[in-house]
Amino acid sequence: MCIFCQIVEGKIPNKTVLEDENFLCFHDINPTRKVHVLIIPKEHYKSFQETPSNIMCDLTAFAQKCAKELNIDESGYRLITNIGDDGGQEVHHLHFHMIGGEPVGRLVR
Ligand code: 5GP
Ligand code: ZN
């Protein structure tokens, strides 16, 4: 079972921000910004590329609630999902990084 499925099942502890029947938002173990949380569906999808679009529709509403809960909905934030090898994905269970709480900087090469 993947590491995030184990978090969903409570086998690995997490610092939960928000949870509903289908989604979980918890603090990243190794935060890169003042706010750095992960938003995942409880159901296992390998990455964004394998995720049905209706899941993404519901995830949108959940992520918006998370931003409000974290008080970054007005200051802004970045939502990122890494996909596969070139995307730098390390955990192969769909997750969105929500980072903010400070300016996160530009995407530069
Ligand atoms: P990826 O590179 O796959 O997009 O990001 C995986 C993220 O999961 C990393 O930011 C890493 O810090 C986080 N992470 C990995 N294992 C755990 C864990 O056991 N608990 C939490 N809260 N975060 C984790
Ligand atoms: Zn999983």
Side-chain angles (χ1 to χ4, degrees), residues 1-14 16 19-26 40-44 93:
M1 194 190 292
C2 96
I3 197 160
F4 287 176
C5 282
Q6 291 180 62
I7 284 177
V8 167
E9 296 212 344
K11 291 179 177 153
I12 296 175
N14 75 92
T16 300
E19 179 173 15
D20 73 7
E21 195 188 339
N22 299 312
F23 301 100
L24 177 65
C25 173
F26 57 100
I40 67 170
K42 291 186 173 176
E43 196 166 336
H44 181 96
H93 178 131

Side-chain angles (χ1 to χ4, degrees), residues 4 7 26-30 38 82 88-91 95 97:
F4 287 176
I7 284 177
F26 57 100
H27 290 275
D28 195 292
I29 204 166
N30 189 17
L38 301 172
N82 297 324
Q89 185 179 6
E90 290 187 348
V91 177
H95 55 282
H97 299 256

Side-chain angles (χ1 to χ4, degrees), residues 11 14-15 23 25 28 33 35 37 40 46 48 51-53 58 62-63 72 74 81 88-89 94-96 100 102:
K11 291 179 177 153
N14 75 92
K15 283 166 67 182
F23 301 100
C25 173
D28 195 292
R33 298 294 191 287
V35 174
V37 299
I40 67 170
K46 206 169 98 178
F48 176 79
T51 302
S53 53
D58 293 341
F62 183 76
I72 58 170
E74 291 191 2
T81 187
Q89 185 179 6
L94 173 70
H95 55 282
F96 282 80
E102 60 184 327

Side-chain angles (χ1 to χ4, degrees), residues 33 77-82 99 103-109:
R33 298 294 191 287
Y77 55 90
R78 184 172 293 153
L79 208 52
I80 308 160
T81 187
N82 297 324
I99 57 172
V104 299
R106 298 178 65 81
L107 288 174
V108 289
R109 190 177 173 89

